[in-house]
Amino acid sequence: MLKLRKVEIVGFKSFCERTVVTFSGSGTTCIVGPNGCGKSNVVDAISWVLGEQSHKSLRAERMADCIFNGTTKRPPLGLAEVTITMEDPELAEAARFVMESAASETATDSATLVTENSEDSALTDVTEILSLDPAQSPETQEAAADGSALSPAEPGGKFKRKRKLAEKPVPAMRPGEVVVSRRLYRSGQSEYLINGRVGRLRDIQEMFMGVGLGPDSYAIIEQGRIGLILSTKPMERRAIIEEAAGVTKFKTKKRLAEAKLESSKVNLSRVSTTSWWKSKSSLAR
């Protein structure tokens, strides 16, 4: 079961500056404030980053209205970004236990190795081995350690170091944590990030499908949603019950598999028709 730990909002609706909402502990967290302070925008941000595609559900006329539009003292922004951090407590506890046990075993092995080395050094003579290679300068040693090469740049003997291109840093994740981000630009382009890497909307939907998280799931219930659920038709109410039971994920996979089979049948019929016309034209000649 995933638990929400942190929400980071930048440029989404009324959040101009970076705002971090932390959900600590296992109890209930409440956001209290006057009307119009942005309490509902926090829920909209969570629903939006989970893949909400309807601007009406986000209380906006279009999706671009979710970007901070500016005020008399602040200019409008060109980007809206929301990042949520979720954690599986059972997996995190198991990983923490494994890491602590591995660290204790490593400390025990290193202590045993130090004891054995001290006993061996007391019983044997110390022999110094002289190298036939010329001594290296500190710069050359640092270059060898870093893996960077030295190339001659001037005839006077000076050298120019070639540095490697640094790779883009990947955010360090704790065991059992999942970080999902969504960005929206003024141009209409959007992108999704899963643990700092670019992903697809389908990947996020499949990851949270069946666990009660999503724009149409039972995990997010807004004002008036309870009355709407009670007054809906039985088939619409059944969708929420299936989501709670974890059946939605398998039904979606079944629907996608049936769609692929149907497209394969259409392709086969088209290929067979083309081959039949070719054979008929060759016989006519």
Side-chain angles (χ1 to χ4, degrees):
M1 180 180 179
L2 295 175
K3 290 188 177 181
L4 183 62
R5 293 303 183 191
K6 186 170 61 175
V7 179
E8 300 180 18
I9 309 173
V10 183
F12 182 81
K13 286 194 173 183
S14 59
F15 295 95
C16 176
E17 299 178 354
R18 179 178 293 273
T19 304
V20 180
V21 182
T22 304
F23 301 89
S24 59
S26 58
T28 303
T29 304
C30 300
I31 302 176
V32 183
N35 294 335
C37 68
K39 301 186 299 297
S40 300
N41 291 343
V42 177
V43 181
D44 292 341
I46 298 173
S47 178
W48 182 69
V49 74
L50 291 176
E52 180 61 62
Q53 299 297 315
S54 174
H55 56 85
K56 294 182 180 179
S57 299
L58 299 172
R59 298 176 294 121
E61 295 182 0
R62 53 178 182 168
M63 194 59 72
D65 293 338
C66 295
I67 305 175
F68 181 73
N69 204 21
T71 60
T72 56
K73 297 182 179 180
R74 296 179 182 270
L77 299 180
L79 168 69
E81 181 180 3
V82 178
T83 303
I84 61 171
T85 302
M86 312 195 74
E87 182 186 21
D88 189 349
E90 296 180 358
L91 183 59
E93 186 65 25
R96 194 178 299 111
F97 175 76
V98 171
M99 292 175 65
E100 289 177 357
S101 60
S104 61
E105 291 178 0
T106 305
T108 305
D109 295 341
S110 61
T112 306
L113 183 60
V114 169
T115 305
E116 293 177 356
N117 291 338
S118 61
E119 292 177 357
D120 294 341
S121 61
L123 296 175
T124 58
D125 296 331
V126 179
T127 305
E128 183 178 0
I129 301 175
L130 299 179
S131 176
L132 299 178
D133 297 334
Q136 297 179 351
S137 61
E139 296 181 357
T140 309
Q141 295 177 1
E142 293 179 0
D146 296 339
S148 57
L150 296 176
S151 59
E154 297 179 0
K158 295 182 180 180
F159 290 88
K160 185 178 181 181
R161 179 175 298 176
K162 294 181 179 179
R163 297 183 180 273
K164 292 183 178 180
L165 295 176
E167 297 181 356
K168 293 183 179 180
V170 178
M173 313 301 301
R174 294 181 181 179
E177 272 191 358
V178 178
V179 179
V180 179
S181 303
R182 181 178 180 180
R183 296 172 183 169
L184 177 64
Y185 300 91
R186 288 281 182 186
S187 59
Q189 298 178 351
S190 63
E191 60 181 5
Y192 297 87
L193 302 176
I194 303 175
N195 292 340
R197 303 184 182 277
V198 179
R200 302 176 302 172
L201 175 60
R202 181 181 295 180
D203 298 333
I204 296 176
Q205 291 176 346
E206 290 180 354
M207 181 171 57
F208 292 124
M209 193 179 297
V211 297
L213 291 173
D216 297 328
S217 64
Y218 61 91
I220 301 175
I221 299 178
E222 308 166 330
Q223 268 183 337
R225 182 82 184 275
I226 298 177
L228 183 63
I229 292 174
L230 295 176
S231 61
T232 52
K233 297 179 181 180
M235 293 302 296
E236 296 178 356
R237 200 179 307 160
R238 181 179 179 179
I240 301 175
I241 298 174
E242 289 179 350
E243 177 68 22
V247 185
T248 309
K249 183 176 182 179
F250 302 101
K251 292 186 71 174
T252 305
K253 288 185 177 180
K254 177 184 177 181
R255 187 170 61 253
L256 292 175
E258 290 176 351
K260 288 182 180 179
L261 287 174
E262 188 65 27
S263 63
S264 300
K265 289 180 181 178
V266 173
N267 292 334
L268 286 174
S269 63
R270 185 171 63 250
V271 169
S272 61
T273 304
T274 306
S275 61
W276 182 80
W277 278 106
K278 285 184 178 179
S279 60
K280 186 176 182 181
S281 60
S282 61
L283 291 174
R285 291 178 182 176

